[in-house]
């Protein structure tokens, strides 16, 4: 890691401890410097990594959409010194979905991840395979941001891969309405887990 970039990013985070954007930018600067200097190294830099994660955690606590999403990914994967916890990952992604006005692209990514979870179920067993809910989350993601990102299939591709019957699609559309209402902060979002 370039020590100057690392130090500047750390100072940016320290100077703006309550500014989610500044903290996320600092964390991203550390990550980018880390990626640039890795060049084939298998292990991540042990000094910058905790600082980057700490800044992301603080930014997520302050409501920064991408920081919330990234922390969800870290909890889901159990990487970069974060203990795997799919429940926390799901909680983070649901925060993204619920605050879609602040970050629609990030909310779409979170909904896509939730769709993937429901299409297969998860390791901890708290999400059972449910093609109808998977459809609903993929549909929600598609409505927020239909373009693909990275090398992932689009939400529309994922919906097709579920291979739902006409009747299942009708049922899934009813769930889709519930997810949209939940994301708007309706009673359903406060009383039921999806």
């Amino acid at each position: 890691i370039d020590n100057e970039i690392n130090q500047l990013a750390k100072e940016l985070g320290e100077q703006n401890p309550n500014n989610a954007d500044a903290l996320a930018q600092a964390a991203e600067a550390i990550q980018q410097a880390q990626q640039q200097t890795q060049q084939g190294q298998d292990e991540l830099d042990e000094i910058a990594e905790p600082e980057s994660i700490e800044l992301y955690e603080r930014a997520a606590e302050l409501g920064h959409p991408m920081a919330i999403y990234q922390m969800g990914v870290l909890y889901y994967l159990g990487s970069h010194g974060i203990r795997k916890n799919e429940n926390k990952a799901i909680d983070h992604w649901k925060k993204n979905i619920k605050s879609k006005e602040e970050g629609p692209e990030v909310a779409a990514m979170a909904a896509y991840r939730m769709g993937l979870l429901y299409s297969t179920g998860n390791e901890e067993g708290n999400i059972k395979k449910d093609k109808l809910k998977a459809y609903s989350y993929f549909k929600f993601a598609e409505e927020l941001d239909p373009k693909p990102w990275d090398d992932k299939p689009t939400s529309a591709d994922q919906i097709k891969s579920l291979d739902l019957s006409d009747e299942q699609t009708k049922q899934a559309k009813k769930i889709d309405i519930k997810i949209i209402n939940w994301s708007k902060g309706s009673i359903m979002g406060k009383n039921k887990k999806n």
Side-chain angles (χ1 to χ4, degrees), residues 179-194:
I179 289 173
I180 290 168
N181 288 338
W182 169 78
S183 75
K184 292 178 183 174
S186 70
I187 294 171
M188 182 190 168
K190 294 176 184 171
N191 295 333
K192 291 187 180 180
K193 292 194 172 202
N194 284 320

Side-chain angles (χ1 to χ4, degrees), residues 39 58 60 77 177:
Q39 297 179 0
R58 288 175 32 206
L77 297 174
I177 291 168

Side-chain angles (χ1 to χ4, degrees), residues 45-62:
D45 187 283
E46 294 176 12
I47 296 170
E49 187 175 294
E51 292 167 353
S52 176
I53 301 304
E54 179 184 329
L55 292 170
Y56 266 129
E57 285 176 329
R58 288 175 32 206
E61 288 169 6
L62 293 170

